[in-house]
């Protein structure tokens, strides 16, 4: 059975922390299963404001009691893993074990290059894999040898066992992100030629899911997320073919491309399918 989340940008007309928290609270009240935030420090429109996704997620965790929450996708290669480890455990504790940890290489080179970080995609991919391994080691509460040679131990451990679920991003038809996701707990599939304004063809989504299944050997216990947009009237018929192809999380993407902030409010308040 699929679950339904609201996806909230942290940029532009949605760059208002109180607005995002209020939307998340309303989503929980209206029966949505999750709320997921974007992660950017810069954006294509240079004059747009941005909100810090971790700070907003913390406020959402404190104001809600049931919904899953997280940042999709955190650009982990441009963050210090020890700080992220502390943030994630704090969020998981604050939320009572409701955090999903989303990780990716990031979609904008300038968010690396502008601050002196290497924007090369392969380099970012290597750093993502290294950081995820270190992150989950630090979550364990055991002694961990760091690249410096020092041994450290971080407590407390997450509420969730065996650990906070990790979802990775993939951009079809490129395979690396999907291979990476197959080693973890979920994937959020994006597509080179569809998604925001053009609906994702079901056959392309199915091909991406089939690829992950072949890499894993099974989709048991694995989450498959997809962002898209629906109206209250057409949501069941739009989402059903994706569910048949392996979808477990439909993320209703809010954003300026589908209307104003008031339109996002209306969709959230209308509730999830069913």
């Amino acid at each position: 059975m699929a679950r339904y989340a609201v996806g909230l940008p942290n940029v532009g007309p949605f760059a208002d922390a109180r607005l995002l928290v209020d939307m998340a609270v309303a989503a929980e009240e209206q029966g949505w299963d999750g709320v997921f935030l974007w992660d950017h420090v810069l954006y294509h429109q240079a004059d747009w404001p941005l909100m810090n996704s971790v700070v907003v997620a913390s406020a959402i965790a404190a104001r809600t009691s049931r919904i899953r929450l997280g940042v999709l996708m955190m650009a982990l290669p441009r963050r210090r893993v020890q700080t992220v480890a502390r943030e994630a455990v704090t969020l998981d504790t604050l939320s009572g074990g409701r955090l999903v940890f989303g990780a990716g290489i990031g979609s904008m080179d300038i968010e690396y290059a502008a601050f002196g970080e290497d924007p090369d995609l392969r380099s970012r991919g290597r750093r993502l894999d290294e950081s995820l391994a270190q992150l989950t080691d630090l979550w364990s509460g055991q002694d961990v040898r760091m690249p410096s040679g020092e041994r450290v131990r971080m407590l407390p451990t997450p509420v969730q066992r065996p650990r906070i679920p990790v979802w990775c991003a993939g951009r079809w038809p490129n395979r690396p992100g999907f291979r990476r996701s197959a080693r973890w707990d979920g994937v959020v599939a994006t597509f080179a030629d569809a998604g925001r304004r053009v609906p994702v063809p079901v056959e392309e989504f199915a091909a991406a899911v089939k690829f992950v299944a072949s890499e894993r050997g099974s989709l048991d216990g694995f989450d498959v997320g997809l962002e898209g947009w629906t109206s209250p009237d057409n949501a069941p018929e739009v989402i059903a073919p994706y569910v048949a192809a392996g979808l477990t999380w439909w993320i209703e993407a809010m954003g300026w491309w589908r209307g104003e902030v008031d339109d996002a409010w209306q969709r959230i308040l209308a509730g999830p399918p069913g």
Side-chain angles (χ1 to χ4, degrees):
M1 185 177 77
R3 287 181 282 183
Y4 306 101
V6 170
L8 297 174
N10 68 326
V11 304
F14 290 83
D16 179 328
R18 288 188 177 90
L19 168 70
L20 296 173
V21 174
D22 287 345
M23 283 182 162
V25 171
E28 179 170 87
E29 291 172 348
Q30 296 303 316
W32 296 87
D33 301 302
V35 171
F36 299 121
L37 299 163
W38 289 16
D39 180 50
H40 284 289
V41 294
L42 299 174
Y43 202 59
H44 303 288
Q45 289 85 350
D47 60 343
W48 272 16
L50 290 92
M51 289 288 103
N52 180 276
S53 54
V54 174
V55 172
V56 174
S58 298
I60 291 171
R63 289 277 308 278
T64 59
S65 61
R66 178 186 57 80
I67 53 171
R68 279 278 179 180
L69 57 98
V71 179
L72 300 182
M73 292 287 181
M74 181 175 283
L76 188 55
R78 61 173 169 77
R79 295 176 178 266
R80 292 186 178 275
V81 70
Q82 65 270 28
T83 302
V84 175
R86 288 294 193 198
E87 289 172 345
V89 171
T90 301
L91 268 170
D92 200 51
T93 304
L94 179 61
S95 67
R98 293 183 284 129
L99 181 66
V100 173
F101 188 86
I105 62 173
S107 61
M108 294 177 58
D109 294 352
I110 193 172
E111 291 186 295
Y112 290 85
F115 302 103
E117 303 274 356
D118 185 358
D120 178 73
L121 292 176
R122 291 182 183 275
S123 174
R124 281 149 62 179
R126 288 192 296 270
R127 279 182 285 160
L128 175 55
D129 289 330
E130 292 167 359
S131 294
L132 281 172
Q134 291 175 9
L135 184 69
T136 52
D137 284 346
L138 291 170
W139 287 345
S140 72
Q142 303 300 311
D143 286 345
V144 177
R145 183 179 294 278
M146 301 304 293
S148 65
E150 293 286 338
R151 299 193 72 88
V152 301
R153 186 183 185 200
M154 284 193 168
L155 294 172
T157 58
V159 173
Q160 298 180 81
R161 294 288 185 270
R163 54 168 165 73
I164 300 166
V166 175
W167 296 358
C168 294
R171 190 165 182 80
W172 193 258
N174 300 322
R175 300 322 199 245
F178 291 89
R179 290 194 182 96
R180 178 178 297 111
S181 71
R183 301 193 292 270
W184 296 94
D185 308 301
V187 63
V188 175
T190 64
F191 296 80
D193 299 317
R196 184 167 295 175
R197 297 185 184 275
V198 178
V200 173
V202 174
E203 60 272 18
E204 288 191 29
F205 175 77
V209 174
K210 184 177 180 180
F211 177 80
V212 175
S214 68
E215 289 287 305
R216 287 177 56 83
S218 166
L219 292 177
D220 292 346
F222 188 79
D223 278 309
V224 179
L226 178 69
E227 280 194 316
W229 67 97
T230 65
S231 69
D233 294 334
N234 71 9
E237 64 187 73
V238 169
I239 298 171
Y242 298 108
V243 174
L247 178 83
T248 65
W249 277 90
W250 174 265
I251 303 166
E252 187 74 24
M254 304 300 164
W256 56 94
W257 64 89
R258 64 177 290 177
E260 304 295 332
V261 168
D262 285 347
D263 296 296
W265 266 118
Q266 290 178 25
R267 184 65 192 92
I268 292 168
L269 294 175

